[in-house]
Amino acid sequence: RENGELAYPVLDLPGVQGPPSQEEPPGLWGGGLLAPEFILPLWDLAFGREVEVANTPAVDPVTGRIFITAAGSTETQGVMYGIDTSVQGAAIAFTAPMGAGSGTSPAISPDGRFIYGIDDTGIMVAIDTANGERAWEAAGTMGQASPSVGPDGTVYSFDGIKGSIVALDGLSGN
């Protein structure tokens, strides 16, 4: 940050472009709120369609491990990456499978044990931050917004279609 030079060589993730574009729901951002030519590209970006990474990473403040959701090796697969950094550069620590099209940024549990992300079909996954193993998954959480985690470990997600907030136990997914 002192001089703007790369601290590490660029880490090229092994995924492909995300799943293909899908039509946005009727009335989305209608009524002149957004120029019509921007609606479909923004809708696709929100879900990680046609791009490998459509969101921001989460960084564990204790270990420094970086987490990012991205497209997997096919259009129908997504992944949660755990990335470590050292003086040699950045390296993938684990690749945990999840559903395709994740446009959500991941969120870390208060104790640092889990990382949460949501795929294009609304399935939230909890991944063990140490080894990349799936702890649980929960359907119906939607992915219009990245999950947030409260200090008690409750994971919150917004369902923009229904206009509701979903709250899940961060340990069990209930």
Side-chain angles (χ1 to χ4, degrees):
R1 67 181 174 213
E2 285 82 23
N3 59 22
E5 293 180 21
L6 285 176
Y8 307 116
V10 173
L11 175 63
D12 188 14
L13 299 175
V16 299
Q17 181 174 306
S21 177
Q22 294 181 20
E23 285 298 314
E24 74 278 4
L28 181 71
W29 296 313
L33 180 62
L34 194 63
E37 60 270 17
F38 292 120
I39 294 173
L40 183 59
L42 288 174
W43 176 248
D44 284 338
L45 182 64
F47 283 95
R49 298 185 190 117
E50 298 192 344
V51 295
E52 185 175 2
V53 175
N55 51 62
T56 57
V59 180
D60 186 305
V62 175
T63 67
R65 182 167 278 177
I66 301 166
F67 303 96
I68 190 89
T69 54
S73 58
T74 69
E75 288 182 353
T76 59
Q77 180 190 34
V79 295
M80 174 81 72
Y81 288 107
I83 301 170
D84 289 335
T85 59
S86 69
V87 293
Q88 289 81 28
I92 297 172
F94 68 75
T95 302
M98 58 185 289
S102 179
T104 69
S105 298
I108 301 173
S109 64
D111 63 6
R113 287 182 49 204
F114 300 108
I115 187 79
Y116 308 101
I118 307 170
D119 72 16
D120 194 19
T121 64
I123 296 175
M124 181 183 293
V125 294
I127 305 293
D128 186 302
T129 59
N131 59 25
E133 292 181 16
R134 184 174 299 199
W136 54 260
E137 69 178 47
T141 57
M142 296 307 292
Q144 289 90 1
S146 299
S148 295
V149 185
D152 66 351
T154 301
V155 185
Y156 300 94
S157 175
F158 176 66
D159 181 339
I161 304 299
K162 295 178 183 173
S164 61
I165 293 178
V166 177
L168 302 171
D169 180 289
L171 294 176
S172 67
N174 294 325

